[in-house]
Amino acid sequence: MRMGIRAEWRRAVGLVGVLLLLQLGGESVRGALRFERDAIAAGELWRLWTAHFVHLGWNHAWLNCAGVLLCCLLAPERFDRRLWLRLACLALGVGLCLWWLSPGVPDYVGLSGVLYGMFVLCLLPQGLQGDKSAWLALACVLAWMLWQWLVAPSVSEERMIGGTIVSIAHVYGFCLGLAGVGLGWLAARRQRPVAAQETGGRNQGGRPPG
């Protein structure tokens, strides 16, 4: 059964509230939670996950808050009770990818990598169901991600957020979103034969004709 839109938006606004509260903590909170390679190597493993919920400054935080609300607008059904699990998996996944695959990245903050994964989780299922506008939006997200990664990050955006854009984090988030959609599809496919067998068993156990 589809959840009420109010519950979905409460979760989205709750996430925005968390981001803004952490931003209120300033440099002390950011310093304690950000992805910092030397600190992680020293055992502060929580930074792999928490780095995604702190930001360089208010512009950076507001930009990602807008991304959260846009995701909820595009696919409110993804803001169900499993939202927090999705966010946790994406955040940890991007953090681990930065740690293992990008040794040249010394530090990182921001929700943008996670948001790219959320955009895939929101838009790709709709596209696979025949929504052309979802395909168009996903193509725009992909094009912008590839431009920032393969060509160069936007200078104006870097100036606005007050730091360097780590575009590889967006790639990791996007790929993890694809993996999440694929795993969901495989799980649904495995459940279909079980459901069919149960239906068949109930039919065989029904009242005989005549």
Side-chain angles (χ1 to χ4, degrees):
M1 181 176 64
R2 179 178 168 80
M3 296 175 56
I5 191 68
R6 291 182 58 186
E8 296 155 2
W9 278 100
R10 279 200 300 271
R11 293 189 179 92
V13 172
L15 176 56
V16 166
V18 169
L19 300 180
L20 296 180
L21 282 173
L22 290 173
Q23 182 60 32
L24 280 172
E27 181 57 38
S28 59
V29 171
R30 182 165 54 251
L33 301 183
R34 70 184 180 188
F35 179 100
E36 191 172 313
R37 189 165 293 275
D38 291 342
I40 294 169
E44 299 181 6
L45 300 181
W46 66 82
R47 294 174 180 270
L48 293 168
W49 182 76
T50 58
H52 309 279
F53 302 96
V54 290
H55 294 83
L56 293 169
W58 282 104
N59 287 341
H60 193 200
W62 283 118
L63 183 64
N64 282 331
C65 287
V68 170
L69 298 178
L70 178 59
C71 275
C72 189
L73 181 65
L74 292 171
E77 66 275 6
R78 293 294 176 182
F79 283 70
D80 58 10
R81 292 180 180 178
R82 291 181 291 180
L83 170 67
W84 312 114
L85 178 60
R86 293 188 184 100
L87 291 172
C89 290
L90 286 169
L92 182 58
V94 173
L96 288 172
C97 286
L98 287 171
W99 173 256
W100 282 327
L101 304 178
S102 298
V105 176
D107 53 70
Y108 174 83
V109 295
L111 193 69
S112 55
V114 172
L115 277 175
Y116 272 82
M118 282 297 296
F119 276 120
V120 175
L121 291 175
C122 290
L123 294 170
L124 184 54
Q126 294 179 1
L128 293 173
Q129 294 173 4
D131 187 340
K132 294 181 180 179
S133 61
W135 281 121
L136 178 60
L138 189 60
C140 291
V141 171
L142 176 61
W144 182 245
M145 180 197 74
L146 291 176
W147 177 270
Q148 289 193 318
W149 180 40
L150 299 175
V151 181
S154 168
V155 175
S156 59
E157 186 177 351
E158 288 187 328
R159 188 180 301 115
M160 180 184 69
I161 67 174
T164 301
I165 294 174
V166 183
S167 54
I168 189 62
H170 304 167
V171 178
Y172 293 146
F174 194 94
C175 292
L176 288 168
L178 290 176
V181 173
L183 288 173
W185 179 81
L186 287 174
R189 187 176 182 183
R190 290 185 64 181
Q191 289 175 355
R192 290 191 196 107
V194 174
Q197 290 175 5
E198 291 177 350
T199 303
R202 287 195 297 268
N203 290 339
Q204 291 176 6
R207 182 178 177 180

